[in-house]
């Protein structure tokens, strides 16, 4: 199996662990994946939710806890590669990026919008940057913009397909139109677009495929298309090292295929989740938002059906009947608890 090279960084196993928030991939999971030869990724989404200061000042608390979680992950990672996932839609996005860079993070992966100003925010640092794209158009827009405004390219590109978990970079119509065959064509198109700019800059830009990656066979298929590796989230949720509550992990182990549904997130994007009592209640009743936790820039508390921060925090804490249970399309395939080392050995 070939290694994944991101500039001067080399992952022995070409697997990036997807960033999952709130509180699903923190230092425990990310550090373990990095220690096993992959790229471990901490989600910065409301990362300070367990801290006493979170209720009073969520953003200030998150910015402090980003540094703390990176430091804790470093102790576990044994010199392995660590990244953070920072959503472009995050309020005070630039401050989150700067906090991660200051803490010495190796890689920033950024989606939920196009990270147009990311090169400027990491200028002068060794931190690598990777946009998440879902279409050829998005890849073209970001590469063209970075080329014109910053004269630099991504260090890595993540292609996130329609089988991914959580917020998706597709409309409902696109989700219905894309089949495995047609999306393979889209992946090839994105690879060609990235290569065009890689050739212009005389550098290698590795590309990884995400969304629906569950087995080694899935990885091999992505590599047959031309990818350099994969990003995988769902498979890592049901590991002993995952930072989520045991109750959250059990929802994956008990989920059936028909339980995995597409939902309309309060922040204006389609998302994939496990159907539960919470979702059924929200179809008929709106929640009165009494406090805003300053998470997503596109959220308006005055007209949102429920607070997504509270719903995701409940999930992380194990209050699963009153939670939004984000997951990938293959969550129903999780049948047992595993160790990160065993999954990484499978992919190696």
């Amino acid at each position: 199996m070939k290694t994944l090279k991101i500039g001067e960084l080399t992952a022995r196993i070409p697997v990036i662990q997807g960033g999952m928030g709130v509180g699903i991939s923190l230092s425990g999971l990310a550090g373990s994946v990095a220690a096993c030869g992959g790229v471990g990724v901490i989600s910065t989404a409301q990362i300070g939710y367990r801290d006493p200061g979170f209720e009073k000042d969520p953003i200030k608390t998150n910015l402090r806890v980003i540094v703390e979680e990176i430091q804790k992950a470093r102790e576990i990672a044994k010199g392995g590669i660590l990244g953070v996932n920072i959503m472009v839609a995050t309020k005070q996005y630039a401050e989150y990026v700067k906090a991660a860079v200051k803490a010495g993070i190796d890689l920033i992966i950024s989606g939920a919008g196009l990270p147009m100003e990311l090169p400027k925010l990491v200028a002068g640092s060794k931190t690598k940057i990777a946009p998440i794209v879902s279409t050829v158009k998005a890849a073209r827009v970001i590469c063209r913009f970075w080329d014109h405004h910053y004269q630099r390219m991504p260090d890595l590109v993540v292609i996130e397909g329609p089988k991914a978990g959580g917020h998706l970079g597709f409309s409902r119509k696109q989700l219905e139109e894309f089949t495995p065959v047609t999306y393979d064509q889209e992946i090839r198109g994105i690879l060609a677009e990235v290569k065009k700019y890689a050739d212009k800059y005389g550098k290698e830009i590795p590309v990884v495929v995400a969304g629906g990656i569950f087995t080694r066979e899935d990885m091999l298929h992505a590599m047959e298309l031309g990818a350099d590796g994969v990003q995988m989230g769902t498979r890592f949720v049901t590991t002993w090292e995952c930072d989520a509550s045991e109750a959250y992990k059990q929802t994956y182990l008990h989920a059936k295929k028909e339980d995995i549904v597409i939902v309309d997130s309060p922040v204006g994007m389609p998302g994939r989740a496990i159907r539960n009592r919470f979702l059924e209640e929200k179809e008929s009743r709106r929640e009165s938002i009494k406090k805003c936790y300053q998470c997503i820039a596109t959220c308006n508390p005055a007209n949102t059906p429920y607070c997504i921060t509270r719903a995701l925090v409940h999930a992380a804490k194990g209050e699963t009947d009153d939670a939004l249970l984000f997951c990938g399309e293959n969550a129903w395939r999780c049948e047992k608890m595993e160790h990160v080392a065993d999954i990484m050995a499978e992919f190696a």
Side-chain angles (χ1 to χ4, degrees):
M1 181 59 62
K2 68 176 182 179
T3 58
L4 175 62
K5 295 184 181 296
I6 310 170
E8 72 276 10
L9 304 173
T10 300
R12 179 171 54 85
I13 303 171
V15 173
I16 297 174
Q17 162 252 313
M20 298 173 283
V22 168
I24 310 304
S25 64
L26 299 175
S27 56
L29 178 57
S32 298
V33 173
C36 290
V39 179
V41 178
I42 297 167
S43 168
T44 65
Q46 302 296 52
I47 191 171
Y49 79 97
R50 295 178 295 192
D51 191 276
F54 182 74
E55 286 289 325
K56 183 177 180 181
D57 194 337
I59 292 179
K60 182 179 179 181
T61 302
N62 288 338
L63 294 175
R64 172 169 51 80
V65 175
I66 284 172
V67 178
E68 294 171 2
E69 284 294 318
I70 291 172
Q71 290 172 342
K72 286 193 287 186
R74 284 275 179 228
E75 295 174 5
I76 301 169
K78 300 175 183 175
I81 303 170
L82 289 172
V84 290
N85 181 293
I86 308 177
M87 296 186 294
V88 178
T90 301
K91 284 189 177 180
Q92 302 294 328
Y93 170 76
E95 297 308 310
Y96 281 69
V97 171
K98 291 174 184 176
V101 170
K102 188 175 181 180
I105 199 66
D106 299 318
L107 171 69
I108 293 175
I109 298 174
S110 204
L114 294 179
M116 307 303 267
E117 297 186 351
L118 187 53
K120 178 175 67 176
L121 299 174
V122 303
S125 75
K126 293 183 178 180
T127 299
K128 305 292 184 280
I129 52 177
I132 297 175
V133 299
S134 295
T135 62
V136 173
K137 180 181 178 182
R140 182 178 300 126
V141 167
I142 198 77
C143 287
R144 183 183 294 166
F145 189 89
W146 285 12
D147 177 33
H148 179 72
H149 289 274
Y150 306 112
Q151 294 77 54
R152 74 160 291 177
M153 282 293 104
D155 300 295
L156 168 79
V157 173
V158 178
I159 302 174
E160 191 168 277
K163 295 182 179 182
H167 289 124
L168 304 171
F170 302 91
S171 65
R172 279 183 174 266
K173 183 180 179 183
Q174 286 176 311
L175 289 172
E176 293 170 1
E177 291 174 347
F178 275 125
T179 66
V181 173
T182 59
Y183 199 71
D184 280 356
Q185 294 171 354
E186 195 75 14
I187 290 172
R188 290 190 183 96
I190 296 171
L191 287 164
E193 191 69 25
V194 173
K195 188 177 187 308
K196 182 171 69 177
Y197 283 94
D199 290 345
K200 177 178 179 178
Y201 279 77
K203 64 176 286 186
E204 294 290 327
I205 304 176
V207 179
V208 300
V209 171
I213 306 298
F214 199 81
T215 64
R216 178 183 167 86
E217 286 69 31
D218 297 327
M219 177 177 68
L220 294 177
H221 176 71
M223 289 180 160
E224 286 169 2
L225 295 174
D228 299 285
V230 292
Q231 177 178 286
M232 179 171 68
T234 293
R235 180 80 184 271
F236 286 117
V237 171
T238 50
T239 59
W240 300 105
E241 294 84 358
C242 179
D243 300 276
S245 67
E246 292 306 308
Y248 180 81
K249 298 174 188 181
Q250 288 298 319
T251 64
Y252 277 48
L253 295 175
H254 294 144
K256 298 180 177 64
K257 190 173 185 177
E258 58 269 25
D259 296 329
I260 314 301
V261 295
I262 301 297
V263 300
D264 291 319
S265 163
V267 300
M269 307 174 194
R272 181 171 280 110
I274 298 173
R275 189 169 185 83
N276 63 347
R277 188 181 73 186
F278 175 82
L279 285 180
E280 291 169 357
E281 289 179 352
K282 295 312 171 193
E283 289 174 351
S284 59
R285 156 175 88 81
R286 294 174 66 87
E287 181 181 302
S288 176
I289 309 298
K290 298 176 182 178
K291 177 179 176 62
C292 177
Y293 288 89
Q294 304 295 309
C295 61
I296 302 295
T298 55
C299 179
N300 181 356
N303 57 27
T304 187
Y306 59 87
C307 173
I308 194 166
T309 286
R310 285 174 55 83
L312 292 174
V313 166
H314 285 165
K317 289 182 175 179
E319 300 162 13
T320 55
D321 283 337
D322 195 26
L324 177 59
L325 306 170
F326 272 156
C327 69
E329 186 180 84
N330 287 316
W332 63 276
R333 296 174 64 185
C334 296
E335 297 178 340
K336 62 181 180 180
M337 293 295 294
E338 302 180 90
H339 282 289
V340 165
D342 294 330
I343 293 174
M344 297 301 287
E346 174 192 326
F347 277 76

